[in-house]
């Protein structure tokens, strides 16, 4: 029985990760993939995810996502989509407003958003918010001068009907907003990635700082009784922050209502090895605490129950299985210089195991503790050698995970015929008790060397089970 089949694990398993925007054929900088800045809509019992670099992703169960190439596919960084008066409106850092009759478009261009004085509005990192009374608002900001807001004409959203105003700015007294890996530089910050969510009649305007390239990238919140303020810095801040592990620097995203009015926070998390905008996406439950503060449970990296499984996921959403392979004994059929097997077990996005160039069937071995029931696998790949201009393109990795039972290797996960391009892969399976596992890599895209950033086996001890 696969009792964890209704779980997900961060970073989210999204097929066909898009090409990084800053890939320019520069021979000194390898190509990479990225997706970030997710806007999410839960509509008609489906999740629609619109990230930077390539849209869109759709899921009914939150576990299996489908990549639907919509028109337009890439509108620039930080796309935002809102359902307003039966239509879906979209804009982004390209400052162009579009509209569609359904969440997957096609989206028709309406033009620039115009300020009351007739000038084109400059709206970096925008967010569209439709209130319960069908009034429409826009929020934006990218830099130390803060987050701005204005009301749009509800019937013609290309027109602002109020002058833009600063709702709040970077405050160096908020240590988490300061630039740097230790928030050591108070001289400036990227106050950005705003998002409005209304809960219990209160308007929570979230934002991020100090910048997406830092592990200190975090999410904070101001609160108001009105969509345009005045806003007060809530007592509990930042609402989401994490500096270590595979899921670091959780920022710029969206907080949306899912099944049974539960709240879910989607966010950007860092890789930042090849480029400072090399990023991934995560999600975790959010809630309102006893003092009326908005919060996000954590930026998790262990299996969580999918939305709809628990009535109050903000009170705890862990599926109860934990990593059992972290820094355990490991070996491999081969290794490239400086790419030791240990790097696949160190919970870092900046290191990876890589087989030798002539290894025809790269195999990775890991030992775990005795009397451990293993139920899930997460793989985080690096496609070494990616080169779009020269036709070295991403694609599926084919593999099998096997566990040792006595002297025999028994197949646990069989993806030898996998045809889905998954840069991050999470699989659950019938629980098994074995103390040695191996991953055999049976295929990779032409020209790509498989790099294994992380292999995590999840499980629980059985020693105290009756």
């Amino acid at each position: 029985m696969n009792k964890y089949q209704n779980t997900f694990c961060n970073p989210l398993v999204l097929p066909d990760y898009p090409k990084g925007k800053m890939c320019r054929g520069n021979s000194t900088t390898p190509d990479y993939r990225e997706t970030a800045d997710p806007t999410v809509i839960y509509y008609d019992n489906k999740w629609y995810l619109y990230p930077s670099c390539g849209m869109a992703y759709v899921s009914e169960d939150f576990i299996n996502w489908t990549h639907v190439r919509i028109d337009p596919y890439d509108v620039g960084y930080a796309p935002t989509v809102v359902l307003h008066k039966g239509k879906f409106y979209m804009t982004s850092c390209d400052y162009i407003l579009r509209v569609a009759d359904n969440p997957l478009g096609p989206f028709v261009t309406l033009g620039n958003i115009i300020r009351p004085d007739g000038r084109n509005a400059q709206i970096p990192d925008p967010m569209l918010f439709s209130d319960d009374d069908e009034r429409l608002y826009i929020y934006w900001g990218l830099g130390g001068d803060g987050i701005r807001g204005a009301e749009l004409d509800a019937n013609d959203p290309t027109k602002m009907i109020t002058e833009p105003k600063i709702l709040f700015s970077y405050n160096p007294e908020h240590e988490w907003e300061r630039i740097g890996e230790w928030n050591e530089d108070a001289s400036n910050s990227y106050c950005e990635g705003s998002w409005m969510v209304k809960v219990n009649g209160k308007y929570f305007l979230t934002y991020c700082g100090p910048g997406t390239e830092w592990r200190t990238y975090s999410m904070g919140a101001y609160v108001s009784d009105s969509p345009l303020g005045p806003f007060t810095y809530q007592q509990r801040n930042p609402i989401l922050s994490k500096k270590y592990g595979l899921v670091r620097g959780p920022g710029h995203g969206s907080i949306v209502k899912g099944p049974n009015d539960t709240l879910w926070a989607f966010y950007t998390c860092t890789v930042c090895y090849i480029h400072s905008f090399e990023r991934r996406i995560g999600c975790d439950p959010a809630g309102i605490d006893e003092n009326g503060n908005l919060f996000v449970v954590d930026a998790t990296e262990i299996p969580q129950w999918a939305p709809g499984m628990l009535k109050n996921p903000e009170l705890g959403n862990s599926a109860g299985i934990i990593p059992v392979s972290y820094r355990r004994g490991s070996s491999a059929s081969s290794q490239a210089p400086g790419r030791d097997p240990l790097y696949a077990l160190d919970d870092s996005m900046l290191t990876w195991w890589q087989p030798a160039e002539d290894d025809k069937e790269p195999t990775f071995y890991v030992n775990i503790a005795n009397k451990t029931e293993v139920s899930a696998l997460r793989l985080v790949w690096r496609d070494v050698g990616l080169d779009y201009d020269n036709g070295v393109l991403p694609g599926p990795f084919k593999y099998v995970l096997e566990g040792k039972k006595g002297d025999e290797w028994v197949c646990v996960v069989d993806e030898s015929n996998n045809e889905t391009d998954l840069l991050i892969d999470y699989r659950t399976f019938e629980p098994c008790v074995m103390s040695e596992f191996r991953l055999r890599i049976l295929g990779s895209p032409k020209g790509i060397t498989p790099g294994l950033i992380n292999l995590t086996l999840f499980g629980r001890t059985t020693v105290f089970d009756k």
Side-chain angles (χ1 to χ4, degrees), residues 168 267 350 415 418:
F168 54 83
Y267 50 82
L350 302 177
E415 290 299 326
N418 176 42

Side-chain angles (χ1 to χ4, degrees), residues 90-104:
M90 172 193 290
T91 189
S92 71
C93 283
D94 72 353
Y95 307 164
I96 303 296
L97 188 67
R98 300 167 176 86
V99 68
D101 292 326
N102 69 75
L104 296 178

Side-chain angles (χ1 to χ4, degrees), residues 250-265:
H252 198 150
S254 51
I255 298 180
V256 298
K257 290 182 180 178
N260 306 315
D261 284 333
T262 52
L263 288 175
W264 297 87

Side-chain angles (χ1 to χ4, degrees), residues 148-457:
R148 288 172 164 78
E151 184 173 356
L152 301 177
D153 187 323
N155 298 310
D156 181 3
T158 62
K159 297 177 181 177
M160 284 186 184
I161 59 175
T162 65
E163 286 290 343
K165 68 175 183 177
I166 296 176
L167 304 177
F168 54 83
S169 301
Y170 162 54
N171 186 341
E173 293 183 4
H174 304 157
E175 183 177 347
W176 68 270
E177 295 182 20
R178 302 172 189 170
I179 282 177
E181 292 290 84
W182 290 91
N183 300 116
E184 69 274 12
D185 183 355
S187 64
N188 199 4
S189 180
Y190 282 90
C191 190
E192 60 186 27
S194 55
W195 185 267
M196 173 64 78
V197 60
K198 185 179 183 180
V199 186
N200 301 330
K202 295 288 187 179
Y203 295 86
F204 295 90
L205 185 53
T206 69
Y207 69 109
C208 304
T212 192
E213 67 270 34
W214 307 109
R215 66 174 185 162
T216 49
Y217 201 41
S218 304
M219 189 181 296
Y222 281 73
V223 62
S224 177
D225 293 322
S226 168
L228 291 177
F231 283 90
T232 301
Y233 187 70
Q234 73 167 28
Q235 292 178 333
R236 186 172 180 169
N237 265 308
I239 64 172
L240 180 61
S241 184
K242 187 166 178 286
K243 299 181 179 69
Y244 302 98
L246 289 170
V247 181
R248 303 177 307 147
H252 198 150
S254 51
I255 298 180
V256 298
K257 290 182 180 178
N260 306 315
D261 284 333
T262 52
L263 288 175
W264 297 87
F266 294 80
Y267 50 82
T268 300
C269 46
T270 67
V271 178
C272 300
Y273 180 86
I274 292 176
H275 191 276
S276 60
F277 283 0
E278 186 183 9
R279 297 164 294 174
R280 305 291 180 256
I281 289 174
C283 176
D284 281 290
I288 305 296
D289 69 17
E290 64 278 8
N291 297 314
N293 294 298
L294 176 66
F295 71 95
V296 182
V297 175
D298 193 10
T300 67
E301 49 190 69
I302 62 174
Q304 304 289 306
W305 293 113
M309 295 298 295
L310 298 183
K311 182 179 179 181
N312 299 108
E314 75 279 7
L315 301 181
N317 197 48
S318 170
I321 49 176
I322 60 173
V324 295
S325 52
Y326 174 65
R327 291 182 62 86
R328 303 292 298 191
S330 62
S331 61
S333 56
S334 68
Q335 65 184 61
R339 299 295 177 192
D340 299 354
L342 176 62
Y343 290 147
L345 302 175
D346 64 357
D347 282 6
S348 170
M349 282 289 196
L350 302 177
T351 60
W352 65 88
W353 165 67
Q354 183 176 320
E357 192 173 334
D358 59 353
D359 193 337
K360 302 302 182 184
E361 189 179 295
T363 305
F364 185 89
Y365 300 85
V366 58
N367 297 314
I368 63 172
N370 290 323
K371 297 184 178 180
T372 299
E373 181 186 83
V374 181
S375 308
L377 166 73
R378 177 185 54 206
L379 300 173
V380 182
W381 300 100
R382 177 165 287 285
D383 30 20
V384 180
L386 188 65
D387 190 338
Y388 288 93
D389 288 348
N390 290 304
V392 182
L393 304 177
F397 292 99
K398 302 177 190 292
Y399 66 89
V400 292
L401 176 72
E402 299 167 322
K404 201 166 190 181
K405 189 173 255 188
D407 294 327
E408 293 185 13
W409 289 101
V410 178
C411 185
V412 177
V413 176
D414 186 353
E415 290 299 326
S416 56
N417 296 312
N418 176 42
E419 295 297 333
T420 305
D421 171 17
L422 293 174
L423 198 56
I424 299 161
D425 197 345
Y426 172 69
R427 310 279 177 167
T428 60
F429 44 84
E430 185 176 344
C432 58
V433 179
M434 300 176 186
S435 58
E436 185 177 1
F437 289 83
R438 71 181 183 186
L439 181 80
R440 292 194 293 125
I441 302 173
L442 304 178
S444 56
K446 185 178 180 180
I448 295 290
T449 299
L452 189 57
I453 291 177
N454 185 256
L455 179 152
T456 307
L457 293 168

Side-chain angles (χ1 to χ4, degrees), residues 63-86:
I63 297 160
N64 301 291
W65 292 84
T66 301
H67 185 200
V68 181
R69 294 182 70 99
I70 67 172
D71 183 18
Y73 174 67
D74 182 3
V75 295
Y77 279 122
T80 178
V81 180
V82 66
L83 174 59
H84 173 68
K85 300 182 75 170

Side-chain angles (χ1 to χ4, degrees), residues 102-121:
N102 69 75
L104 296 178
F107 286 83
V108 176
T109 298
L110 297 177
N112 293 93
I113 295 176
I114 307 300
R115 294 166 55 115
D117 61 11
R119 291 182 295 159
N120 289 345

